[in-house]
Amino acid sequence: MESIQSIDARQIAPREKHPTIFQMFDNLAAGEHFILVNDHEPRPLYHQFKNEHPGQFTWEYLEQGPEIWRVAIGKPESVVDPTVGEIIAADFRKAAVFKRHGIDFCCGGNKSLSQAGKEAGIDPEVLRSELNSAQWEPGGGTLDRFQTWSISLLIHYIIENHHNWLKTKLPEMTPLVQKISKVHGANHPETVKIAAIFQSVVDDLVPHLQKEEIVLFPYIEKMVAAEKSGEEPPRPVFGSVENPIRGMEADHQVVGELMDSIRELSGNYTVPEDACASYRMVYGFLSELADDLHQHIHLENNILHPKVRALAQKLGV
Ligand SMILES: [Fe+2]
Ligand SMILES: [Fe+2]
């Protein structure tokens, strides 16, 4: 007869708690679970599971206080299919694998691993094993550290580093993008299309940054303050914080697709032989813009928004 193991966290020294629990989890076979007993709600443990084993564990409360918490923690029967965004948010080293296969982990972050693999023409099983063995690769980035940042710090960084850069660069570069389309449009008709698409990117991004800075981010800060003070957060005028978050993610998708068209039209930002200095400067800028937006959207879609969704659930807003 199968016996369910249980582990009483109250009996384990604080430093040993999480390692012991994760060791027990590692020893489980698919479909098995164990019961964790604790004297408070094990939220930090839950978040550690979510970060380290996204989509690969089950978590069910059997008793929720006030004195004892009992949680059934298990491994699911079938292989779970986490999204690309969940994988990358838990461990940014995996970015190198996605990059290698041309899988977009920013705007395409909501796709499941199998779907993303299929679309990139790679067997999802092969992709899964490459991801499992992904180690640190030079140039793989250091974004994983953002996962440990607080919500307020992330917002501050996004505004200071990404929004302010865009606010300076977009107006500065717009006349130059238009100029090269006028000067070189006859010989390089793609520059005319690129200028039109670039204008759409600007027209989408300017109000998008404003919506984040004036509506979404200030409300998120109120949620953070409410969590600290223990008071109820104010009811948002937009119903639920999920609504503006979804709106922002839809905008990201549109901008991502526009930037993809620019990359294709420009042959991966390859300047023609007869290009003048302005032409080179514009292509250099467009390439830099694509990289910057990748990082910016990754931070929002894969790091900030999941943190805010978890906080919203906790606060009941
Ligand atoms: Fe943003
Ligand atoms: Fe955004």
Side-chain angles (χ1 to χ4, degrees):
M1 195 180 93
E2 188 197 15
S3 67
I4 306 290
Q5 296 184 77
S6 92
I7 180 166
D8 190 340
R10 297 168 300 179
Q11 312 288 331
I12 310 172
R15 297 176 53 179
E16 300 297 316
K17 270 182 201 175
H18 286 200
T20 312
I21 294 164
F22 279 97
Q23 183 64 53
M24 209 155 163
F25 177 77
D26 287 341
N27 293 337
L28 289 179
E32 285 183 351
H33 69 273
F34 63 86
I35 300 192
L36 171 76
V37 182
N38 205 4
D39 57 6
H40 60 271
E41 186 171 359
R43 296 296 300 176
L45 181 71
Y46 174 75
H47 287 292
Q48 197 177 341
F49 263 103
K50 235 176 115 188
N51 283 339
E52 293 182 13
H53 300 279
Q56 289 160 22
F57 71 100
T58 57
W59 182 277
E60 190 192 342
Y61 285 104
L62 305 175
E63 196 175 337
Q64 284 186 280
E67 270 145 35
I68 295 281
W69 273 256
R70 288 167 67 243
V71 192
I73 302 171
K75 277 193 185 160
E77 283 287 356
S78 52
V79 181
V80 187
D81 203 8
T83 68
V84 169
E86 283 169 340
I87 295 172
I88 213 81
D91 184 355
F92 198 73
R93 286 170 302 179
K94 314 274 197 254
V97 177
F98 288 128
K99 270 188 199 161
R100 200 158 57 227
H101 294 294
I103 294 173
D104 177 3
F105 50 83
C106 302
C107 300
N110 56 353
K111 284 182 188 160
S112 71
L113 185 60
S114 331
Q115 191 193 351
K118 231 188 270 168
E119 286 178 13
I122 168 162
D123 179 347
E125 273 317 303
V126 174
L127 189 56
R128 219 181 284 276
S129 83
E130 277 187 36
L131 286 166
N132 285 341
S133 56
Q135 296 300 319
W136 180 255
E137 294 186 28
T142 52
L143 281 176
D144 55 346
R145 72 181 56 185
F146 291 118
Q147 190 60 259
T148 64
W149 286 18
S150 70
I151 287 177
S152 297
L153 181 56
L154 280 167
I155 288 179
H156 183 74
Y157 177 81
I158 287 169
I159 293 176
E160 293 291 326
N161 186 47
H162 293 293
H163 288 204
N164 290 351
W165 184 80
L166 287 169
K167 283 186 221 162
T168 310
K169 283 289 178 181
L170 295 179
E172 188 183 298
M173 294 306 290
T174 300
L176 214 53
V177 177
Q178 302 303 341
K179 186 184 142 194
I180 67 147
S181 78
K182 287 198 185 90
V183 176
H184 298 275
N187 288 340
H188 299 289
E190 69 278 9
T191 56
V192 178
K193 287 187 194 156
I194 288 173
I197 299 171
F198 175 74
Q199 194 55 52
S200 304
V201 170
V202 175
D203 293 345
D204 283 349
L205 273 178
V206 171
H208 175 86
L209 300 182
Q210 276 178 351
K211 280 185 269 175
E212 284 179 336
E213 289 183 26
I214 296 170
V215 182
L216 179 59
F217 292 171
Y219 184 70
I220 295 174
E221 293 288 12
K222 284 183 186 154
M223 288 168 63
V224 171
E227 189 198 21
K228 274 195 193 126
S229 68
E231 283 167 23
E232 283 251 325
R235 293 282 134 190
V237 285
F238 36 75
S240 147
V241 74
E242 183 60 27
N243 292 329
I245 286 183
R246 262 199 222 136
M248 295 305 110
E249 290 183 354
D251 288 351
H252 294 162
Q253 181 74 30
V254 172
V255 168
E257 285 168 11
L258 291 171
M259 290 303 296
D260 278 349
S261 317
I262 291 181
R263 184 176 49 74
E264 281 164 27
L265 283 165
S266 66
N268 239 339
Y269 319 106
T270 312
V271 277
E273 300 232 320
D274 59 341
C276 61
S278 306
Y279 205 132
R280 285 175 203 283
M281 200 191 269
V282 164
Y283 271 28
F285 164 70
L286 290 172
S287 164
E288 193 183 358
L289 176 64
D291 282 349
D292 185 81
L293 282 170
H294 254 166
Q295 192 186 345
H296 181 176
I297 294 174
H298 164 69
L299 281 181
E300 290 176 358
N301 280 12
N302 299 334
I303 311 271
L304 178 66
H305 295 173
K307 279 180 189 274
V308 173
R309 285 189 168 112
L311 180 58
Q313 205 174 12
K314 190 173 162 192
L315 296 172
V317 292

